[in-house]
Amino acid sequence: MTYALARPRRLDLETFARAAGVHPELPRRLVVLGALQARTDPSGTLWFEESELRAMARIQRLRAGFALNYAALGLVIDLLDRIAELEAAARTRSRPAGGTPWISTG
């Protein structure tokens, strides 16, 4: 079992938007679409983990590279994450000796 040595730093909506270089309405919309994760305190303030800045940068790169709306980007991100999981699982599986497992010999 592992324990965090310190609490992860949380960013409110304004601070998060400023750090990401976007208007505060965009992260709010992305939370509603499920593309970003945030917590809401009892007063209704959105709080983001610092790691969500990486997710926001990824969304911005995908949006700039492809002509997709933000709802479609959520699907693309889910698919990319699934591909990464499958590739990681394939790497950890033991490979048969003497050849590449995806090439047919017959």
Side-chain angles (χ1 to χ4, degrees):
M1 183 176 283
T2 61
Y3 296 95
L5 296 177
R7 287 180 107 175
R9 186 167 163 230
R10 299 183 317 163
L11 306 170
D12 66 1
L13 177 62
E14 296 292 327
T15 306
F16 180 84
R18 196 174 322 112
V22 298
H23 189 276
E25 188 58 31
L26 180 57
R28 186 187 318 270
R29 286 185 193 170
L30 292 172
V31 168
V32 171
L33 290 171
L36 286 179
Q37 303 297 313
R39 294 189 181 188
T40 307
D41 67 13
S43 69
T45 303
L46 284 176
W47 293 95
F48 296 86
E49 301 291 331
E50 279 188 331
S51 62
E52 289 301 297
L53 286 170
R54 284 191 303 276
M56 185 71 212
R58 183 182 192 194
I59 290 167
Q60 290 174 300
R61 285 191 310 273
L62 287 169
R63 173 88 168 139
F66 301 102
L68 299 173
N69 62 34
Y70 288 109
L73 282 175
L75 175 62
V76 170
I77 289 168
D78 288 344
L79 291 172
L80 290 173
D81 289 345
R82 182 65 180 142
I83 290 168
E85 289 172 14
L86 292 171
E87 287 177 341
R91 281 192 299 271
T92 59
R93 268 187 275 153
S94 62
R95 297 179 187 234
T100 308
W102 58 85
I103 297 176
S104 173
T105 57

